[in-house]
Amino acid sequence: MPASSLAAPLCTWLVASCMSCACEKDQAVKSPFLFQSPKWRSRLERRRKVMATQCGNGGGVGGLSLSCGLISCWCGSGIQNLMSTFEPCDDYYNSSKWFSSLALFGENGFSPFGSKTVPVTRRQRRMNSAAQSGNAVALAVQPVKEDAIKKKPLTMKRRVVVTGLGVVTPLGFDADIFYNNLLEGISGISEIEAFDCAQFPTRIAGEIKSFSADGWVAPKLSKRADKFMLYLITAGKKALVDGGITKDIMCELNKAKCGIVIGSSLGGMQVFNDAIEALRVSYKKMNPFCIPFATSNMGSAMLAIDLGWMGPNYSISAACATSNFCILNAANHIARGESDIMLCGGSDAAIIPIGLGGFVACGTLSQRNSNPTKASCPWDINRDGFVMGEGAGVLLLEELEHAKKRGANIYAEFLGGSSSFDAYHMIESHPNGTGIFLCMEKALAQSGVGREDINYVNAHATSTPTGDLTEYQAIIQCFGRNPVLRVNSSKSMTGHLLGAAGAVEAVATIKVISFRIFLYRVLK
């Protein structure tokens, strides 16, 4: 391109001007500006100078030996005589960039550096003599050889394990109680008691009842914070206790390498709703904490402030996949060596009038109010929609050697994960399950696990007419007719916990793995 042809000599000239050195006597020689009128240009043509380049003569600056390169400059002229005092070396004239530059202006056209074949006149010699008030210095710019570049060694991927589990769910506030209730088929879905929902066509949910944050959350914060934050902080601290992080171990941890990535799909809906109601009276009635406590990242932040953890801290809001993204990102922070310990998962508390009304308006909720324990029934032919739930699930992830060093109990190892998007619809999956299939395929490839080695899938299955069938098709497409594969959905007993769903179901899956390992050791 012509523009690039011009840019090459101009850029080299500017580099040379920056490299100009101050000399003992600085005498400036006036020279016409580069792009002036034709008259000045003609005079400039007559005044071109070809400076003798001192290359390869053992010159140096500050002990640095300089050899012939692309740029040579004479000191003493300053910025006023750039065109007359900078002259490229032979290497530059022999380069393809030099000839492409000439081609821009024609064979005999104007060049920023002049022509090498123009003879030096007596007038030019006098001007050169004035310009050479100091010693000549040759500056060379040599291309850096690729082999000479020191490359940063690749960081080995570190292994990530699960060492702690914490939950707040409709089936219990302890991981063991939660899992035992799942095994016994106990349902946490019942009629909503938190508010009067007689006007709604759906009046059931996986509502948390009799929850107390005493002993887990400071009383002042507990009065101000939204329930999603109370669930999050409580589940996070329960995961630490379950992981054996005592006060003594906490003091020994490198807080700069301890992080938290716990997300929320909807954030502090109750706090924000209360602020809107207060605004109807006056803005002076609004809670000053309504904005920060409504944001989805504030739960992770407040937990980190409480613990003094200064590693990665943020939240991800990705609807039903919120927890999955948080777990994947947290594991990657450890695998890359950015953290040693990460709390990760999700929390949501949307069972309030505006939350229930919003999902009713979408037409996605079950209306089987007369039989709440059977309302959430994934894959059932009579399913009519999902049931809302609330709660939090948090996993304590840790680098393997770090966990071994402190003697932690290891539940499972995180081998890999992935994400995808089917680009089809805002609330429905592609009918063929292409996005779901792609995600599972990439996760298997990253983890290095064969599809024939998978024997259990805790499905997302929410009990919607189209979603369950789509996911089933994707599972069959990915794993085929694997005779040992077992698939279920714990949403049949908890309801859909929104942003907390992935983490709570990850706890259930990890408990399955732990139980199978226990049975294997006993039977062996």
Side-chain angles (χ1 to χ4, degrees):
M1 296 290 291
S4 62
S5 301
L6 174 62
L10 284 179
C11 290
T12 308
W13 169 61
L14 291 173
V15 171
S17 69
C18 294
M19 292 180 176
S20 179
C21 305
C23 299
E24 295 177 2
K25 297 179 181 180
D26 187 10
Q27 298 182 8
V29 179
K30 294 183 179 180
S31 175
F33 192 69
L34 180 60
F35 297 108
Q36 278 284 5
S37 63
K39 181 178 179 181
W40 281 105
R41 186 177 298 177
S42 176
R43 185 177 298 178
L44 181 61
E45 292 261 359
R46 296 194 300 270
R47 292 182 179 181
R48 287 194 185 126
K49 311 166 188 65
V50 178
M51 309 302 297
T53 305
Q54 296 187 356
C55 298
N57 295 328
V61 179
L64 176 63
S65 179
L66 302 172
S67 59
C68 184
L70 294 180
I71 301 173
S72 299
C73 64
W74 287 87
C75 297
S77 64
I79 194 67
Q80 297 180 1
N81 200 29
L82 286 173
M83 293 304 300
S84 61
T85 58
F86 292 106
E87 176 63 18
C89 295
D90 294 336
D91 288 355
Y92 185 85
Y93 287 107
N94 295 333
S95 69
S96 59
K97 291 182 179 179
W98 169 250
F99 289 107
S100 63
S101 304
L102 289 178
L104 173 62
F105 299 99
E107 186 176 353
N108 299 318
F110 168 75
S111 167
F113 287 115
S115 173
K116 189 180 179 185
T117 59
V118 176
V120 181
T121 64
R122 181 180 301 176
R123 182 182 179 87
Q124 289 171 334
R125 283 196 295 271
R126 287 199 302 269
M127 294 177 68
N128 294 342
S129 177
Q132 300 177 35
S133 57
N135 296 326
V137 178
L139 296 179
V141 177
Q142 296 285 3
V144 181
K145 294 183 179 180
E146 193 171 339
D147 295 340
I149 299 176
K150 293 183 178 180
K151 296 182 178 179
K152 185 179 178 180
L154 294 175
T155 303
M156 296 297 293
K157 185 176 179 180
R158 307 197 305 172
R159 295 174 67 180
V160 182
V161 294
V162 182
T163 56
L165 305 171
V167 296
V168 174
T169 75
L171 289 181
F173 311 146
D174 177 83
D176 290 331
I177 295 175
F178 162 71
Y179 181 61
N180 289 332
N181 286 334
L182 285 178
L183 293 179
E184 294 177 12
I186 297 174
S187 176
I189 300 171
S190 61
E191 292 185 0
I192 297 173
E193 299 177 1
F195 59 93
D196 183 9
C197 55
Q199 60 176 323
F200 295 99
T202 296
R203 297 182 292 277
I204 57 175
E207 185 181 36
I208 291 178
K209 299 177 173 65
S210 304
F211 171 78
S212 174
D214 293 346
W216 302 103
V217 183
K220 185 179 292 186
L221 177 61
S222 183
K223 293 178 181 179
R224 297 171 175 172
D226 190 274
K227 286 197 296 183
F228 100 93
M229 289 179 58
L230 302 182
Y231 296 162
L232 184 155
I233 295 173
T234 302
K237 290 186 176 181
K238 285 178 178 288
L240 290 177
V241 172
D242 185 62
I245 303 294
T246 62
K247 290 184 179 180
D248 293 338
I249 293 178
M250 182 71 77
C251 293
E252 297 175 357
L253 295 177
N254 180 1
K255 302 297 178 61
K257 302 199 74 174
C258 299
I260 302 174
V261 184
I262 305 176
S264 177
S265 174
L266 298 173
M269 292 191 70
Q270 184 65 63
V271 168
F272 199 75
N273 183 76
D274 292 344
I276 294 174
E277 293 300 322
L279 184 60
R280 296 180 189 276
V281 179
S282 170
Y283 73 91
K284 296 180 180 180
K285 299 292 184 180
M286 295 176 65
N287 183 348
F289 297 96
C290 65
I291 294 298
F293 283 0
T295 56
S296 61
N297 72 301
M298 194 53 63
S300 290
M302 295 305 295
L303 179 56
I305 292 172
D306 196 352
L307 300 176
W309 286 14
M310 298 180 291
N313 188 287
Y314 56 95
S315 70
I316 298 173
S317 182
C320 311
T322 292
S323 291
N324 302 63
F325 277 105
C326 291
I327 295 171
L328 177 59
N329 278 32
N332 287 337
H333 280 300
I334 296 175
R336 292 194 298 261
E338 299 166 357
S339 301
D340 292 330
I341 291 181
M342 294 291 297
L343 285 171
C344 56
S347 177
D348 260 317
I351 304 178
I352 60 175
I354 192 173
L356 180 63
F359 283 111
V360 166
C362 289
T364 56
L365 294 184
S366 171
Q367 298 183 16
R368 302 168 81 175
N369 301 306
S370 60
N371 194 2
T373 60
K374 302 294 184 181
S376 181
C377 48
W379 300 297
D380 190 279
I381 194 170
N382 295 317
R383 65 191 184 279
D384 65 336
F386 76 85
V387 177
M388 287 181 65
E390 62 180 351
V394 176
L395 275 62
L396 177 65
L397 301 186
E398 196 167 352
E399 194 272 326
L400 177 61
E401 297 304 321
H402 189 277
K404 287 181 176 180
K405 185 177 180 180
R406 68 178 188 86
N409 174 45
I410 297 175
Y411 284 107
E413 181 174 5
F414 180 92
L415 296 179
S418 185
S419 63
S420 65
F421 185 61
D422 57 15
Y424 175 71
H425 191 269
M426 66 175 138
I427 60 173
E428 293 182 5
S429 302
H430 192 283
N432 296 331
T434 53
I436 303 171
F437 169 75
L438 177 62
C439 184
M440 291 188 291
E441 285 280 283
K442 292 193 297 182
L444 288 171
Q446 188 193 86
S447 62
V449 177
R451 63 188 70 195
E452 66 279 357
D453 297 325
I454 303 297
N455 56 22
Y456 172 63
V457 172
N458 187 299
H460 179 63
T462 61
S463 187
T464 57
T466 59
D468 292 2
L469 182 60
T470 298
E471 188 175 6
Y472 168 78
Q473 292 173 340
I475 292 173
I476 293 299
Q477 184 181 1
C478 182
F479 298 103
R481 298 189 179 278
N482 186 341
V484 299
L485 184 66
R486 298 292 182 266
V487 181
N488 69 2
S489 173
S490 50
K491 288 184 178 68
S492 61
M493 290 170 275
T494 65
H496 192 343
L497 304 187
L498 306 179
V504 171
E505 288 155 20
V507 171
T509 304
I510 292 168
K511 281 293 185 179
V512 171
I513 295 172
S514 300
F515 184 67
R516 290 178 65 88
I517 293 175
F518 171 76
L519 287 180
Y520 174 77
R521 290 174 177 173
V522 171
L523 296 176
K524 186 178 179 180

